[in-house]
Amino acid sequence: MSENIENTVGNAEDYDASQIQVLEGLEAVRRRPGMYIGSTSASGLHHLVYEIVDNSIDEALAGFCSEISVEILPGDVIKVRDDGRGIPVDIQEQTGKSALDVVFTVLHAGGKFGGGGYKVSGGLHGVGASVVNALSAWLIVRVHKGGKIHEMRFSRGDITQLITIVGDTTESGTEVTFKPDSSIFEETAFSYETLKTRMREQAFLNAGLKISVEDKRPGSETRDDFRYEGGIREFVTYINRSKTALHDQVIYVSGERDDSMAEIALQYNDSYNEILLSFANNIHTPDGGMHETGFKAALTRVLNDYGKKTGLLKGDDKLTGEDCRDGITAVISVKLTEAQFEGQTKSKLGNSDIRTLVDNILSEKLTIFLEENPAVGRSILDKAITAARASEAARKARENIRRKNALDGMSLPGKLTDCNVSDPRLTEIYIVEGDSAGGSAKGGRDSRFQAILPLWGKMLNVEKARADKVYGNEKLTPVITALGAGIGEDFDSAKLRYHKIIIMADADVDGSHIRTLLLTFFFRFMRPLIEGGYVYAAQPPLYKLTRGKTVKYAFSDEELSEISAEMRGEDGKGKVEISRHKGLGEMDPEELWETTMNPETRILKRIELDDAADAALEADEIFTVLMGEKVEPRREFIELNAKFAVNVDV
Ligand code: TSJ
């Protein structure tokens, strides 16, 4: 026990050098939390939970844990529990401390102690329990082990109670309960949906592992249990749940070599999009890396070889990698001992052995699969060959756009009302829904730097169209030419005619529909436009408040109550008239200018890449689910998104 007492914080004369370092370590986390968890916003807050859960998943990977539960308790306290061996509580000879102590008080110690325990370690994964501890107002850990319950407590990373036996137990496992420090986090409310999505993903990635997530906050009690015996096969089925698959069976291959293993699940559907999710040691790698490179190379080679061998590919015809991934949904999961994560956000896998491993496994096993399942082989090849033809047609259509622009000196669309200034850094274009709103916008704008392009009628959903159809589309061509920066591979932000592209649509069904479709178009065909931060959504006011001659506008319900109180307060009991705001088209030009277009008073929402990606998903869902054959998800979707259902031709 004497070793333990020396670890108690607040006993200054007993500190040796290593302990001072420990204290500095956790102080550093509190000083610069962003360095350890990315941010102190909602994303960093949820990261705390992942850090803890990762430890239980590591225990499951080591083969000792079969069940994990995550609970949100009243007050946004988190409790994570597993049925593993329990963190060792005995004192280690070298350090004079228990593993439990080290895990929570030493930076970077999470999961890497003891040796031998983990074949697979997360690398970047689990920067650790000590970081969570440092950023928690309080944390309690209880270890069920050897017939006893061992408890230790902390406050803001400092030990407040040394390991104490608090009871007997017949079980084994670890339970951590913590409350994030509200003086560190801007946001301390947990999102059940966010945790649920993450836990479902982890259950897919660890076949057979039971993970439950439960919200115990009053008024929002709910619970989900995940367990997928099929692992990433079921992940692919889940992603494709509202799409039409090209073949019934999900194709699954796996293999290992030395200390590494790789598994791949894939299934084609009748859409034109590629969904490729890759993971290394259960960590999502959105920027890809060696596992994705190996996957793509093998898929392209196998399909070309198969096409040649079966005669489906003629002469010198070749499929590109993109042709081969048209309409694919694939999940790649690799596990390896020393994962190297690269890139700005450390979300790209650098280990090159993994490329070879994934390539070998997929080449060998997919070749066999196609030979044994010729009907599936044929439908995949047909799909890829059609993709190759479509991409050739798209190339020609793009070429046409380019040639036409060069020939007629970039003739602008007839519907565009351009501005006078030509320096794109100073100009903005309003893309407006409907002719009447376009009329008001024209009347209200500042013609020096604001251009207006009205759009009307049914917009193309690019999520459901081949690229060549998009390039020639009569609704989209005016947008492409007005922006002047090309499209697809030709897109060049340097040629933009305006540096602010503002989508102005009503806050109603049609408005949100057109916004969704336009954002989807930008996301798929002009992505640098979004990444460069050029796209905005105008925010028309929701309410108009009138009192005598005074007119004010409110952009939210909170603003409404604030402003109306303020207006009433000006001279006692007078009456404030409140009207829910009419459509853009019904506003007169002056009103539209004052509320929505005047740079001095308007509110613009800059569109982030995530917003656009969500729009694309939404566009996909709307059309696949509402027009699809599958009755069940369709009903569910209409219930969830009633506002969209109204406006879509079924
Ligand atoms: F890290 C942590 F404290 F945050 C945490 C760790 C939180 C939670 C909820 C669980 C765990 C955890 C750790 N679960 N299971 C383990 N296992 C071990 O630490 C362990 C147990 C036994 C042995 C051994 O070699 O006997 C080795 C290890 C690493």
Side-chain angles (χ1 to χ4, degrees):
M1 260 330 249
S2 67
E3 289 94 334
N4 264 341
I5 289 165
E6 278 180 15
N7 287 343
T8 309
V9 173
N11 197 354
E13 57 266 50
D14 287 342
Y15 290 157
D16 63 22
S18 72
Q19 281 170 321
I20 287 165
Q21 270 203 325
V22 168
L23 289 175
E24 275 182 0
L26 291 196
E27 256 321 301
V29 177
R30 289 180 62 81
R31 265 199 312 272
R32 306 185 64 187
M35 292 267 292
Y36 299 88
I37 52 161
S39 79
T40 52
S41 61
S43 130
L45 179 76
H46 290 80
H47 205 91
L48 298 180
V49 184
Y50 311 155
E51 286 295 341
I52 296 297
V53 172
D54 283 350
N55 290 281
S56 296
I57 289 176
D58 281 345
E59 182 75 354
L61 286 173
F64 299 102
C65 158
S66 64
E67 200 168 340
I68 301 171
S69 73
V70 178
E71 294 171 1
I72 311 176
L73 304 180
D76 286 283
V77 167
I78 295 289
K79 180 186 280 191
V80 179
R81 190 172 7 193
D82 71 38
D83 63 351
R85 291 167 294 179
I87 306 177
V89 289
D90 49 304
I91 309 296
Q92 290 172 318
E93 249 179 56
Q94 312 103 293
T95 55
K97 295 181 186 178
S98 68
L100 184 62
D101 191 326
V102 173
V103 163
F104 284 97
T105 58
V106 180
L107 206 46
H108 289 297
K112 313 294 175 317
F113 57 89
Y118 303 122
K119 198 167 170 198
V120 172
S121 90
L124 185 94
H125 207 206
V127 294
S130 61
V131 169
V132 178
N133 192 20
L135 301 177
S136 294
W138 55 262
L139 182 147
I140 303 171
V141 53
R142 289 195 189 100
V143 174
H144 290 241
K145 203 178 174 79
K148 301 287 176 201
I149 304 172
H150 309 259
E151 185 187 270
M152 194 167 180
R153 294 177 179 242
F154 307 86
S155 173
R156 303 189 161 86
D158 298 340
I159 299 170
T160 55
Q161 178 196 294
L162 294 169
I163 300 182
T164 308
I165 291 173
V166 295
D168 295 331
T169 182
T170 54
E171 294 166 13
S172 77
T174 306
E175 176 189 284
V176 172
T177 312
F178 65 96
K179 182 172 176 62
D181 190 341
S182 60
S183 69
I184 302 253
F185 291 94
E186 295 142 43
E187 177 65 71
T188 51
F190 283 98
S191 152
Y192 180 74
E193 282 302 313
T194 301
L195 294 182
K196 172 180 159 184
T197 302
R198 170 78 175 210
M199 294 312 135
R200 177 166 47 215
E201 172 198 281
Q202 291 299 318
F204 279 129
L205 290 169
N206 297 281
L209 178 61
K210 240 162 113 173
I211 306 183
S212 69
V213 46
E214 184 165 4
D215 196 338
K216 290 185 158 172
R217 290 171 296 190
S220 53
E221 290 94 344
T222 180
R223 175 189 169 105
D224 288 273
D225 290 89
F226 302 116
R227 180 187 195 161
Y228 303 105
E229 291 302 338
I232 61 170
R233 291 179 203 80
E234 290 189 61
F235 203 167
V236 167
T237 304
Y238 176 79
I239 296 166
N240 278 348
R241 69 195 177 284
S242 59
K243 303 179 194 294
T244 305
L246 230 55
H247 47 101
D248 291 338
Q249 238 189 88
V250 173
I251 301 172
Y252 175 82
V253 302
S254 68
E256 47 194 287
R257 185 183 171 153
D258 302 327
D259 272 347
S260 304
M261 81 84 112
E263 54 175 346
I264 299 146
L266 66 94
Q267 185 183 41
Y268 286 86
N269 62 68
D270 71 350
S271 82
Y272 311 110
N273 296 321
E274 166 186 341
I275 300 177
L276 181 53
L277 283 179
S278 65
F279 299 84
N281 294 351
N282 296 334
I283 300 164
H284 186 206
T285 41
D287 295 338
M290 291 298 174
H291 48 346
E292 281 196 16
T293 309
F295 168 83
K296 289 177 179 174
L299 183 72
T300 310
R301 198 173 55 248
V302 169
L303 292 192
N304 273 292
D305 290 351
Y306 183 74
K308 282 274 172 325
K309 202 153 53 185
T310 53
L312 292 167
L313 270 182
K314 308 270 188 286
D316 286 339
D317 284 359
K318 271 206 183 81
L319 300 166
T320 66
E322 284 180 14
D323 297 337
C324 294
R325 297 192 302 276
D326 203 36
I328 202 172
T329 297
V331 174
I332 307 169
S333 170
V334 300
K335 306 226 165 96
L336 64 169
T337 28
E338 304 256 318
Q340 274 152 30
F341 294 96
E342 299 178 337
Q344 275 270 296
T345 52
K346 299 273 179 252
S347 47
K348 182 175 180 185
L349 184 65
N351 307 59
S352 58
D353 310 2
I354 283 291
R355 183 186 56 213
T356 319
L357 177 64
V358 172
D359 189 324
N360 289 346
I361 294 169
L362 190 62
S363 300
E364 187 187 324
K365 302 195 172 168
L366 184 58
T367 303
I368 296 171
F369 176 88
L370 295 174
E371 275 162 9
E372 290 175 352
N373 299 275
V376 178
R378 187 182 175 112
S379 57
I380 294 176
L381 255 285
D382 281 349
K383 170 105 186 161
I385 289 166
T386 314
R389 293 204 187 107
S391 93
E392 178 58 18
R395 196 188 58 73
K396 285 190 179 134
R398 256 195 334 265
E399 180 63 30
N400 262 343
I401 293 176
R402 198 162 37 199
R403 194 172 325 110
K404 218 161 77 195
N405 285 349
L407 277 181
D408 54 22
M410 197 66 150
S411 84
L412 292 166
K415 283 275 177 185
L416 175 74
T417 307
D418 211 356
C419 52
N420 304 329
V421 172
S422 62
D423 183 345
R425 288 171 302 179
L426 307 175
T427 62
E428 35 190 67
I429 182 170
Y430 275 82
I431 302 180
V432 187
E433 171 211 359
D435 268 343
S436 57
S440 294
K442 249 184 265 181
R445 69 175 181 146
D446 185 328
S447 61
R448 287 171 302 176
F449 67 97
Q450 293 180 318
I452 309 294
L453 179 68
L455 292 183
W456 69 104
K458 199 164 152 43
M459 274 270 298
L460 179 72
N461 181 357
V462 302
E463 217 55 13
K464 285 271 123 190
R466 284 204 179 273
D468 52 314
K469 297 286 186 294
V470 172
Y471 296 143
N473 181 265
E474 56 163 2
K475 293 286 189 301
L476 293 173
T477 311
V479 179
I480 303 167
T481 32
L483 299 192
I487 183 166
E489 289 156 39
D490 292 345
F491 184 84
D492 179 3
S493 304
K495 295 193 186 132
L496 274 175
R497 302 183 61 250
Y498 318 90
H499 279 192
K500 279 202 175 73
I501 320 295
I502 304 166
I503 302 172
M504 184 159 71
D506 278 320
D508 65 3
V509 178
D510 298 276
S512 79
H513 190 211
I514 207 155
R515 206 167 24 241
T516 296
L517 294 179
L518 258 180
L519 289 183
T520 304
F521 170 59
F522 291 151
F523 180 71
R524 293 290 181 201
F525 293 92
M526 298 187 179
R527 194 164 302 175
L529 194 65
I530 312 245
E531 288 167 337
Y534 296 110
V535 184
Y536 299 82
Q539 310 281 292
L542 292 179
Y543 302 98
K544 179 179 185 176
L545 299 91
T546 317
R547 164 144 204 220
K549 285 200 179 108
T550 316
V551 176
K552 288 193 173 165
Y553 299 93
F555 292 86
S556 66
D557 287 322
E558 288 116 63
E559 242 184 31
L560 175 67
S561 35
E562 266 170 43
I563 296 175
S564 65
E566 191 182 297
M567 284 171 88
R568 257 195 309 275
E570 275 163 18
D571 68 354
K573 53 194 176 292
K575 221 177 157 188
V576 179
E577 217 178 284
I578 297 171
S579 60
R580 190 160 250 294
H581 217 280
K582 26 189 201 223
L584 292 168
E586 298 160 61
M587 283 199 231
D588 60 45
E590 292 71 32
E591 238 182 329
L592 192 58
W593 163 258
E594 209 40 60
T595 60
T596 318
M597 298 180 73
N598 179 357
E600 303 288 325
T601 52
R602 72 184 176 194
I603 298 177
L604 289 185
K605 175 183 171 1
R606 176 177 267 167
I607 302 296
E608 310 283 347
L609 194 60
D610 274 355
D611 300 322
D614 285 347
L617 275 180
E618 203 164 87
D620 184 33
E621 290 278 325
I622 289 169
F623 284 74
T624 34
V625 180
L626 288 182
M627 315 209 352
E629 307 71 14
K630 299 187 178 141
V631 179
E632 227 11 74
R634 173 172 152 164
R635 180 183 311 131
E636 190 185 340
F637 193 80
I638 292 174
E639 280 165 9
L640 285 172
N641 297 275
K643 57 182 180 141
F644 290 109
V646 187
N647 197 39
V648 177
D649 302 348
V650 179

